[in-house]
Amino acid sequence: MPVKDNDAEMLRVMGNTITDLQIQYRAATLDDKAVLIAPLKELLQDYGDYQARLLKAGTITSDAELAQMKAIQTAISDDADRQDLLIAIAKIVALIAAA
């Protein structure tokens, strides 16, 4: 049985979630884009640093963190509003900061 790799799974889930956020940003109204741009840029910068940390040997992602990320991903739907997106961004930034 293969070894469970939470870091690889976190890269997949978080990457897909952040891509979904970027796509929803592109479809947002100008007013929503004005509110979302700064937090989204911060998230992307933090995510780049986080990806580098996940490349190190050893697993840094706990089962609880992975479950939290999956819950964030599930909470973002195609009809998410600005507040939903801001909450998702804030939760991902917090998750990255805690790692």
Side-chain angles (χ1 to χ4, degrees), residues 2-73:
V3 175
K4 183 177 175 184
D5 186 349
N6 282 356
D7 289 348
E9 182 67 3
M10 180 63 91
L11 282 169
R12 186 186 68 73
V13 175
M14 189 178 285
N16 289 342
T17 303
I18 290 172
T19 298
D20 290 345
L21 286 168
Q22 290 173 295
I23 290 168
Q24 290 188 31
Y25 168 82
R26 293 184 59 80
T29 66
L30 287 177
D31 288 341
D32 287 348
K33 284 181 179 179
V35 172
L36 293 167
I37 188 69
L40 189 54
K41 281 184 176 181
E42 177 188 350
L43 170 60
L44 292 172
Q45 290 171 345
D46 291 349
Y47 180 54
D49 295 339
Y50 184 67
Q51 287 177 307
R53 283 186 280 168
L54 288 177
L55 293 175
K56 294 179 182 176
T59 301
I60 66 170
T61 305
S62 70
D63 289 341
E65 290 166 331
L66 187 54
Q68 185 180 1
M69 188 63 237
K70 287 180 179 181
I72 295 167
Q73 182 183 41

